[in-house]
Amino acid sequence: MRLDQFLSARTMYSRKELRQLLIKGKVKVDGEVVTKGEYKVKPEQNKVCLNGKHVPGDTYLYVLLNKPKGYVSSADEPGQHSVLELVPPELSRKDLRPVGRLDKDSTGMLLLTDDGQLAHQIIAVRSHVAKYYHIKLARPWQDWYAEKAAQGMILRDGAHCQPAMAAKIPGTENEAMICLHEGKYHQVRRMFAAMGNHVAELERVAMGGIEMPVDLKLGSCQILLEKDIQKILKCETDFAKLLQSRQKVSS
Ligand code: URA
């Protein structure tokens, strides 16, 4: 297909902007600058870079965002900043949407994709994709929280939760890790509210078998590969290891 068509379908740049970028030498195909929009590329074979960033040729795009506070997970909430604003134009596509949601005040791993079927698979309760959250509580952790979560809690509005794993992070008073296999609205916050505490901070640190890459800064994105998606769908992260990695060692 034509290079300009390839870029137009996979980025949020207009045709006019793309023409300018091509003329300025900002587009490379397999390491060589290409300035002509009519240049033919094979998306599955050629590596196309725009502004130094790889523009993937696959049919679907999977982007991992380290979500900062203050952004909503929906695409179009009037008066709110959407997580989509954080995706650089090279990675933006018209149908790119967050998979599930993190609250406006939550941080951490948020997957975005234009693969609607995959999004559905990850969100579906029956797919059992595990999501791991590091939380900071307003008041100290109580040991009975773990048992209560493991039994399958009932929230204040009567909603039933599936059994969840929760534990205090060693070396802390009020930090914990919790793993859910479902995603009810504000679920973690509502679980701890039902136990008389309050979640002050919430960060998603892992999904399935993928942990948040340590070098992915708040507000930054990176592309996930098909093999990463399979790890999210088919693997789990070791809960005990996650707890240990977040352990606070007093000096
Ligand atoms: N549970 C919550 O309460 N909030 C989130 O953002 C994610 C899970």
Side-chain angles (χ1 to χ4, degrees):
M1 72 190 296
R2 285 173 59 120
L3 180 57
D4 52 5
Q5 283 170 353
F6 171 89
L7 288 169
S8 167
R10 285 167 177 79
T11 73
M12 293 299 267
Y13 287 114
S14 66
R15 292 268 172 151
K16 191 172 161 204
E17 287 167 329
L18 285 171
R19 264 198 304 279
Q20 292 301 317
L21 289 163
L22 280 157
I23 290 167
K24 286 185 186 155
K26 301 287 184 189
V27 181
K28 284 185 179 175
V29 179
D30 297 333
E32 300 291 329
V33 172
V34 177
T35 54
K36 299 253 180 293
E38 60 269 30
Y39 185 90
K40 289 282 193 302
V41 285
K42 289 191 175 146
E44 63 289 354
Q45 278 178 21
N46 298 124
K47 181 174 179 185
V48 179
C49 291
L50 175 59
N51 292 326
K53 298 218 173 70
H54 181 206
V55 180
D58 337 38
T59 341
Y60 292 120
L61 179 64
Y62 307 101
V63 174
L64 178 63
L65 167 70
N66 188 354
K67 179 194 171 300
K69 286 185 183 180
Y71 289 82
V72 295
S73 301
S74 50
D76 43 18
E77 232 175 279
Q80 300 285 354
H81 284 289
S82 162
V83 289
L84 292 173
E85 294 169 32
L86 296 165
V87 182
E90 296 81 15
L91 293 185
S92 257
R93 287 195 193 168
K94 289 167 195 70
D95 294 329
L96 196 70
R97 292 284 174 273
V99 178
R101 47 173 296 144
L102 280 177
D103 300 335
K104 185 175 173 184
D105 282 339
S106 299
T107 60
M109 282 181 94
L110 188 66
L111 178 66
L112 299 104
T113 185
D114 52 353
D115 180 350
Q117 210 177 346
L118 184 273
H120 178 73
Q121 237 181 312
I122 291 186
I123 300 168
V125 175
R126 67 170 190 288
S127 72
H128 298 299
V129 170
K131 288 133 198 148
Y132 303 80
Y133 302 92
H134 177 169
I135 55 169
K136 292 188 182 150
L137 295 167
R139 290 173 283 283
W141 167 269
Q142 306 294 317
D143 285 338
W144 57 268
Y145 291 168
E147 200 182 323
K148 189 95 177 150
Q151 283 164 357
M153 292 188 49
I154 301 176
L155 303 179
R156 282 180 174 160
D157 66 352
H160 285 249
C161 299
Q162 292 186 2
M165 199 169 357
K168 182 166 85 75
I169 295 184
T172 70
E173 285 295 309
N174 62 343
E175 293 184 38
M177 193 69 72
I178 178 161
C179 169
L180 302 184
H181 288 89
E182 56 181 344
K184 296 189 201 305
Y185 184 64
H186 291 329
Q187 183 164 346
V188 176
R189 295 178 198 274
R190 290 199 292 150
M191 284 171 76
F192 282 89
M195 295 191 285
N197 211 319
H198 171 76
V199 174
E201 304 271 339
L202 184 152
E203 179 191 4
R204 183 149 66 197
V205 295
M207 291 172 74
I210 293 275
E211 276 181 61
M212 172 66 88
V214 279
D215 53 353
L216 188 62
K217 296 196 183 76
L218 264 183
S220 297
C221 295
Q222 79 174 41
I223 293 175
L224 288 186
L225 305 173
E226 180 61 36
K227 66 175 186 332
D228 301 319
I229 297 300
Q230 291 310 315
K231 267 179 105 174
I232 289 181
L233 285 172
K234 301 203 175 115
C235 306
E236 295 217 344
T237 300
D238 187 320
F239 191 77
K241 278 202 190 138
L242 260 188
L243 267 182
Q244 290 304 321
S245 70
R246 302 255 154 179
Q247 176 173 0
K248 300 277 183 318
V249 183
S250 52
S251 49

